[in-house]
Amino acid sequence: MQGDIEQLINEKIGSRFDNDNKWVILKSLKYKMAITKGMLAVACGLPSFALAESPALEEIIVTAQKREQNVQETPLSIGVVGGERLEQFSIRTTDDLDNFVPGLVIQEAPQNLSSITIRGVGTAAGSETFDQSVSLFIDGVFAGRQREFQTSLFDIERIEVIKGTQNTLLGKNTSLGAISLVTKKPGYEYAANIETNYELEHDGVGSSGAVDIPMGDLIRTRVAFNIIDDSGYVANHATGRRVPQRDQNTMRITSIFEASDDVEVEFMFQYDELEIIGDPFQVSRDTTGLVAGAGAILDPTTVPKLDDNKSSFVALGDGGESTDRQNSHRGAINVNWEMGEYALTSISAWSNYTNDRIIDSDFVAGDFLITTYDTDFQQLSQEFRITSPLGENFDFIAGAFYLKSDYTNINLIDANFPLLPRIPVPIQGATTKIYTQETDSVSIFGQGTYHFDESMRLTLGARWTDEGKDAEYASVLTREGPGVFLIPRFDATPLSRREEAFDGSWNVQWDWDEDTMIYLSWAQGTKSGGFTDQASLPIEAEYEDEIARTKELGMKATLLDGAATLNLAIFDIDIRDFQVVTFNGLGFDVDTVPASSRGIELDGFVALSPQLILRGGLTYSR
């Protein structure tokens, strides 16, 4: 029967990009602190129902609270995207996820960094030293740097978008939410699959596949791969190429070793290489008349307009195009040990990436401003936790987490501007900024639930974190020129800060009846302070930690004898020292301001027949 259903899905989305959603640059790169977004998604033929005499939805299991739970019984607002939907709609990167989860917005910035917001708030792109307030987890492993959102989506079991403050169980830098990728695990029998799709309008090709290899009764292995070859959707008339051209090759190996009846060990290694040639960003408006348009000083031949045409050139790039090359590795060992009714889990993980970028920062055909980045990052993490059994009056999860990371970034800014109005000399010359940072963080966390009776329960959670950051920041002259003094030079300057955070949460759940659950929750989460590698001077580099408090009243209901669900959440988020980034023409300024987001969410499914399921979702925030 499943095969009959899948035959009904015979069309993919033709184009992965919408020109109306391109980023508008030079008009405003200020982070928008309030976003109002509504979304309605209709999915036809999704394989997420149980076949019976009447249509019924299949139970959705999530691990947002580090144990398996029915999403309708979890007192959190969670958007779940199944692996089948990703394959059906050819979703290959995280940038496309917001088409399926109301309240989630993912915007790409000119440096190929992603700005991820949930319910209208999140960390803006700009400084890579920023910790994220919406963090990424891959099979439970923290991947909190902005560039790690470049990971490709393939061989995925499901994606959980967990909204609101989640610091108690998930981590210190999840003050506004988290995105959790759960990959497919090896099967017990030999199996293989491969899929290739072709995007007709812009000649994009994607291929993915996997093979399960059981090795006796104790070991089973899954090898999966993904290839992306996108040819671009914007015509760059200065180079004669369509951009951005994205080539990405990824391989993942997962092995599970059943050491005994009580001990299971999972090994994972992933390699990813990414190359992006060109970018889609263009001058959409120039109120100064200096950059583009008739009579402009820099490029009178370019018409300021937002469409699928541009004209830009950078001499250091690949054929005159901006370039972005990144190689990354990720490995993890996950040990689960059943100790009677209790479970002990250990997750040891290591990751690193190297990234080299050349960016045409003036966005026009002249070579006026070039920036390059040479970045290296590596991280080690270890988590231990113990989980109690369910079914008693009291159950709990408790653990400890340690993280150590090293970050190095070398940033060249090369300017060759002619004499401009209100500036006494041309701006010409080059400066190189060198920034290194070591981070160590340790935290202890716990969450317990007391069951007053079968319908009422109270959950309390807390997390203590101690984190230190030691950095060194220097700016050196690379090429002399008039006006280069506008970018200050300074010797290597040590920077150091240490902070403690105590975060917590509580929620009350009440089962109105066997099909309806109501919950009220409060949570506080902290996002690290630190230093930005984009500051003009070391004394301006430090920024304070960000503290978010989320209140939420929600309802989750199963209707029509299991054929429909309806979820409602009213939320209120207040943020102290919200970290914002503003583009100043040469770099990004960092500041902290108070911020808030309040609104309502509504989403649900309804199975009209075994072959047709409608899904709708709406988020309003202000």
Side-chain angles (χ1 to χ4, degrees):
M1 186 68 71
Q2 176 70 34
D4 295 336
I5 296 165
E6 291 179 348
Q7 290 179 8
L8 297 173
I9 308 170
N10 53 18
E11 293 185 358
K12 307 284 188 182
I13 289 181
S15 176
R16 297 176 55 226
F17 302 97
D18 182 355
N19 287 338
D20 292 334
N21 291 326
K22 295 174 189 173
W23 188 276
V24 180
I25 57 94
L26 295 188
K27 176 181 179 182
S28 174
L29 279 178
K30 292 186 177 180
Y31 181 76
K32 294 187 177 180
M33 293 165 43
I35 299 173
T36 301
K37 178 184 177 182
M39 188 197 81
L40 178 65
V42 179
C44 181
L46 293 178
S48 56
F49 52 83
L51 294 180
E53 293 182 359
S54 60
L57 296 169
E58 188 175 81
E59 183 181 41
I60 299 176
I61 301 299
V62 296
T63 53
Q65 297 195 110
K66 298 199 172 183
R67 65 163 90 230
E68 292 187 350
Q69 294 175 293
N70 185 325
V71 69
Q72 290 300 108
E73 299 173 359
T74 306
L76 302 171
S77 183
I78 307 173
V80 182
V81 183
E84 294 86 356
R85 293 188 75 195
L86 299 176
E87 294 172 1
Q88 290 162 0
F89 290 97
S90 299
I91 302 303
R92 301 297 183 190
T93 65
T94 56
D95 288 344
D96 298 317
L97 274 181
D98 58 357
N99 293 321
F100 298 90
V101 180
L104 173 68
V105 176
I106 301 177
Q107 292 180 308
E108 187 180 355
Q111 299 182 40
N112 290 321
L113 297 174
S114 295
S115 172
I116 297 95
T117 65
I118 291 179
R119 296 172 168 174
V121 285
T123 303
S127 176
E128 291 185 55
T129 61
F130 263 10
D131 294 307
Q132 299 299 291
S133 53
V134 178
S135 288
L136 178 69
F137 293 82
I138 302 175
D139 288 332
V141 177
F142 176 70
R145 304 254 64 83
Q146 283 185 323
R147 297 212 64 83
E148 294 181 282
F149 279 89
Q150 291 279 8
T151 187
S152 60
L153 301 180
F154 72 105
D155 206 43
I156 298 292
E157 182 69 29
R158 69 183 180 277
I159 297 176
E160 302 173 14
V161 179
I162 311 160
K163 305 174 185 178
T165 302
Q166 306 298 328
N167 282 44
T168 297
L169 288 181
L170 293 183
K172 181 172 183 290
N173 293 312
T174 51
S175 55
L176 296 174
I179 299 175
S180 175
L181 309 185
V182 181
T183 63
K184 291 183 179 180
K185 305 307 177 188
Y188 289 91
E189 299 179 352
Y190 286 99
N193 69 81
I194 188 170
E195 175 183 317
T196 299
N197 57 74
Y198 180 73
E199 198 275 308
L200 296 174
E201 185 176 0
H202 302 299
D203 299 323
V205 179
S207 297
S208 62
V211 57
D212 286 330
I213 309 171
M215 303 175 184
D217 297 330
L218 301 181
I219 301 177
R220 58 189 192 275
T221 299
R222 185 176 182 89
V223 180
F225 74 92
N226 188 58
I227 299 173
I228 300 174
D229 184 4
D230 287 339
S231 298
Y233 57 94
V234 174
N236 186 354
H237 299 288
T239 64
R241 302 171 76 166
R242 298 194 68 84
V243 294
Q245 299 175 2
R246 183 187 186 103
D247 291 312
Q248 188 166 15
N249 302 309
T250 314
M251 182 184 71
R252 183 190 305 125
I253 301 175
T254 306
S255 290
I256 295 180
F257 171 49
E258 297 182 2
S260 68
D261 291 340
D262 300 324
V263 179
E264 181 182 88
V265 184
E266 178 182 320
F267 303 89
M268 186 277 291
F269 176 78
Q270 179 173 306
Y271 171 75
D272 182 276
E273 61 177 14
L274 169 68
E275 180 181 67
I276 301 175
I277 305 298
D279 61 60
F281 308 105
Q282 58 190 119
V283 181
S284 63
R285 182 182 300 174
D286 179 19
T287 57
T288 67
L290 298 176
V291 179
I297 295 175
L298 298 186
D299 189 358
T301 64
T302 295
V303 178
K305 187 178 181 182
L306 186 63
D307 55 18
D308 55 359
N309 294 275
K310 63 178 293 186
S311 181
S312 68
F313 181 86
V314 56
L316 297 180
D318 186 324
E321 298 286 359
S322 298
T323 61
D324 185 341
R325 295 183 175 93
Q326 180 169 306
N327 290 328
S328 62
H329 306 78
R330 180 179 303 278
I333 302 175
N334 189 333
V335 181
N336 289 293
W337 182 13
E338 301 292 335
M339 305 169 57
E341 294 183 330
Y342 293 82
L344 179 65
T345 300
S346 168
I347 303 177
S348 308
W350 163 83
S351 64
N352 87 309
Y353 67 79
T354 58
N355 178 265
D356 298 294
R357 303 195 302 283
I358 300 171
I359 301 174
D360 181 16
S361 295
D362 54 57
F363 303 103
V364 295
D367 244 355
F368 301 109
L369 182 62
I370 301 171
T371 55
T372 70
Y373 295 86
D374 183 354
T375 306
D376 182 82
F377 175 80
Q378 53 185 325
Q379 171 183 292
L380 291 170
S381 65
Q382 175 65 55
E383 179 174 328
F384 295 106
R385 67 175 183 266
I386 186 169
T387 306
S388 73
L390 297 174
E392 304 294 333
N393 287 340
F394 180 73
D395 57 72
F396 68 89
I397 297 175
F401 177 75
Y402 173 75
L403 178 144
K404 179 177 177 57
S405 67
D406 294 290
Y407 170 85
T408 300
N409 184 40
I410 302 173
N411 173 207
L412 169 69
I413 303 173
D414 192 317
N416 190 33
F417 287 103
L419 187 64
L420 298 173
R422 297 184 299 277
I423 298 179
V425 295
I427 303 176
Q428 297 174 0
T431 299
T432 299
K433 295 181 177 181
I434 304 169
Y435 182 90
T436 62
Q437 176 178 290
E438 295 181 0
T439 302
D440 64 272
S441 177
V442 61
S443 59
I444 300 172
F445 61 89
Q447 179 172 288
T449 301
Y450 181 76
H451 301 254
F452 294 98
D453 52 38
E454 292 184 355
S455 63
M456 179 77 73
R457 48 206 172 273
L458 169 67
T459 300
L460 299 176
R463 189 182 194 101
W464 171 82
T465 302
D466 179 85
E467 180 166 298
K469 292 180 178 177
D470 295 300
E472 190 173 82
Y473 191 21
S475 178
V476 298
L477 178 65
T478 306
R479 180 170 64 86
E480 188 66 75
V484 74
F485 61 85
L486 294 174
I487 302 178
R489 302 190 298 275
F490 47 86
D491 295 331
T493 303
L495 303 168
S496 182
R497 66 175 280 132
R498 190 151 212 102
E499 61 188 64
E500 288 188 26
F502 186 80
D503 298 315
S505 62
W506 60 260
N507 72 70
V508 178
Q509 289 176 259
W510 177 42
D511 294 334
W512 176 288
D513 55 36
E514 63 179 8
D515 295 321
T516 306
M517 183 266 286
I518 298 172
Y519 66 91
L520 176 66
S521 65
W522 176 93
Q524 174 180 293
T526 302
K527 181 165 84 81
S528 301
F531 309 99
T532 174
D533 58 358
Q534 296 290 312
S536 298
L537 293 169
I539 195 173
E540 302 171 352
E542 188 170 5
Y543 54 88
E544 294 302 314
D545 53 351
E546 175 183 294
I547 299 177
R549 296 184 177 95
T550 300
K551 292 172 282 188
E552 185 167 322
L553 174 64
M555 179 199 71
K556 294 190 174 184
T558 302
L559 309 171
L560 304 178
D561 294 325
T565 63
L566 179 64
N567 299 330
L568 171 70
I570 302 170
F571 59 87
D572 184 314
I573 305 170
D574 282 301
I575 308 172
R576 190 192 77 185
D577 290 328
F578 181 58
Q579 298 164 2
V580 296
V581 182
T582 304
F583 185 60
N584 61 23
L586 294 175
F588 295 87
D589 295 329
V590 177
D591 200 0
T592 56
V593 298
S596 64
S597 177
R598 296 172 175 84
I600 187 170
E601 287 181 330
L602 185 68
D603 71 81
F605 290 85
V606 58
L608 301 180
S609 73
Q611 291 80 26
L612 179 63
I613 291 181
L614 299 183
R615 176 183 183 180
L618 174 70
T619 294
Y620 170 79
S621 64
R622 62 178 178 85

